[in-house]
Amino acid sequence: MAKPISTGTGRVRLKDVALAAGVSPITVSRAFSTPGQLHPQTCQRVLEVAQTMGYVAKRRPAEHTNRRAVIGVINPQLNNPYFHELACAFSQLGESRQMDVLIMDSHDSPSQEAAAVDRLIACGVDGIILTVISADRRYRPDYFERLEKAGIAVILVDREVTAPHYGGVYIDNLDCGYQAGMWMKGQPIKRLLILSGPSDSMVTIGRVSGLREALAGSQIALEVHYGDFSMAPAEHFLNERLKHPPLPDALIGINNQITLGILAAYRRAGLSLPEQPGGPRLFCIDGIARAELLGIDIPSIHHDLVTIATQAMDLVEDALRSGSRRGSRQVVRGHLHLPGETD
């Protein structure tokens, strides 16, 4: 990694980055304008050197030039099928709209999320579509101020925060919970366990509130566990919970990763898997991609990821055309998927 150097002028220039990275100035220019023309390792090295030296490429509005707009997409977990499919949708839309899309994974890490943002700023992107790592509406890392200062339009997806942004596209979490609760209400069950995310998460609050609203007045005994949105913590909790009867005869995983944790815990305990003969009822909000191929077709809420991606890309294009930093808040409703149905 290059060390910061003094140029004598106080401002790092493109040729300074080229010298430090051991490449030509045209290579540095291409790393920011047309990264697809470079070998990935060369491009990565140039961007890392530029970031270390504090170099920021001059941004030329795409609508005033012949170049393609460059859009950065940052997801928290690309190994999560939900975010992976969403990233694929952004990539395909970028190609059809003649826009270059750079996809980055923050790995649910605050430091890696900030590094991804800074790298995209250094690349001179025109806009960023961002799913932050936190579902806490109060989440406001420092990089939002850097993005605002750089004049880069930020579109939020899936998770809403109060930090400066142009607009956002979100899932109707209250409705997701309500649909799941209404389906469970019609089942012959007595004890329902909901495995949820953090209690202060807006996603959790919306989905659990919808569930409680739908189940109000029923005779179902409700147990809610607040934990994490990932698989391992849900599996760990349930490993212990299954040792203490009475066991639930129905479960709801608040997202797909939690639901995978439920399935793993039941298998580890040697119990009949949910939605199989002798097992409890199970409902998954977000759905598990291609679970039916494993013989487990779970009632779930599916989201139209192409619609979500399309609306986010529309907001980016609107921001680039208008130059405004104030956009709209759009909400996409999920739909109920039952076993045997095709989307």
Side-chain angles (χ1 to χ4, degrees):
M1 181 67 70
K3 295 181 180 180
I5 62 174
S6 172
T7 65
T9 64
R11 177 176 175 270
V12 179
R13 297 163 296 181
L14 182 146
K15 67 179 183 179
D16 301 319
V17 176
L19 181 63
V23 298
S24 68
I26 190 64
T27 298
V28 176
S29 177
R30 286 174 176 168
F32 290 101
S33 60
T34 54
Q37 294 184 8
L38 299 180
H39 189 283
Q41 291 183 348
T42 301
C43 185
Q44 180 80 0
R45 171 167 173 73
V46 171
L47 296 180
E48 288 179 351
V49 170
Q51 180 181 347
T52 300
M53 297 177 67
Y55 173 77
V56 178
K58 292 183 179 179
R59 296 180 63 251
R60 294 171 295 169
E63 66 272 19
H64 295 154
T65 70
N66 292 325
R67 76 175 181 88
R68 290 160 62 110
V70 181
I71 305 300
V73 176
I74 303 178
N75 287 311
Q77 292 178 323
L78 280 176
N79 63 344
N80 182 330
Y82 173 87
F83 291 112
H84 174 78
E85 292 181 23
L86 196 55
C88 289
F90 283 127
S91 179
Q92 292 170 356
L93 285 166
E95 190 62 30
S96 66
R97 299 187 186 202
Q98 300 297 301
M99 304 168 77
D100 289 325
V101 177
L102 306 179
I103 306 230
M104 308 192 78
D105 190 342
S106 61
H107 302 284
D108 266 334
S109 162
S111 61
Q112 292 193 54
E113 180 179 71
V117 169
D118 287 336
R119 191 161 295 168
L120 291 175
I121 292 175
C123 283
V125 297
D126 300 287
I128 291 180
I129 297 172
L130 171 65
T131 300
V132 295
I133 63 170
S134 173
D136 185 343
R137 189 179 174 87
R138 298 164 296 180
Y139 183 67
R140 185 171 175 147
D142 294 340
Y143 64 69
F144 275 101
E145 278 64 41
R146 296 196 291 277
L147 287 167
E148 190 172 33
K149 184 177 180 181
I152 297 174
V154 178
I155 308 301
L156 298 178
V157 170
D158 191 68
R159 299 170 184 175
E160 187 172 10
V161 294
T162 56
H165 60 280
Y166 177 82
V169 184
Y170 312 104
I171 290 171
D172 190 337
N173 289 304
L174 184 70
D175 182 70
C176 285
Y178 186 81
Q179 288 192 67
M182 290 302 294
W183 183 86
M184 273 295 181
K185 193 173 183 178
Q187 307 306 307
I189 62 173
K190 296 180 179 179
R191 295 178 298 277
L192 171 62
L193 171 59
I194 299 172
L195 273 71
S196 186
S199 60
D200 59 354
S201 157
M202 293 301 295
V203 174
T204 296
I205 292 171
R207 295 184 179 186
V208 173
S209 296
L211 283 163
R212 291 187 183 279
E213 181 180 344
L215 295 168
S218 74
Q219 299 301 310
I220 299 173
L222 183 61
E223 176 184 353
V224 181
H225 170 70
Y226 294 100
D228 188 83
F229 285 118
S230 53
M231 175 180 171
E235 181 182 359
H236 177 74
F237 163 77
L238 207 50
N239 285 339
E240 295 302 314
R241 174 63 182 83
L242 293 177
K243 298 175 184 177
H244 305 285
L247 300 185
D249 51 9
L251 303 98
I252 294 177
I254 210 79
N255 77 346
N256 56 0
Q257 297 299 292
I258 289 175
T259 306
L260 287 173
I262 292 172
L263 293 171
Y266 269 81
R267 184 177 294 278
R268 179 184 293 273
L271 299 172
S272 296
L273 290 177
E275 292 304 306
Q276 291 188 340
R281 297 297 174 95
L282 175 63
F283 193 100
C284 174
I285 298 180
D286 290 347
I288 298 178
R290 298 172 179 82
E292 67 279 1
L293 299 180
L294 302 176
I296 306 173
D297 200 357
I298 304 171
S300 56
I301 298 296
H302 282 198
H303 307 294
D304 188 342
L305 300 184
V306 173
T307 294
I308 292 173
T310 299
Q311 292 186 1
M313 291 290 276
D314 288 345
L315 284 173
V316 168
E317 290 191 307
D318 180 63
L320 299 185
R321 283 193 302 267
S322 68
S324 171
R325 291 291 170 263
R326 301 182 64 182
S328 62
R329 180 182 187 276
Q330 301 180 21
V331 178
V332 179
R333 184 174 182 266
H335 66 274
L336 180 65
H337 168 84
L338 298 178
E341 294 182 345
T342 57
D343 292 330

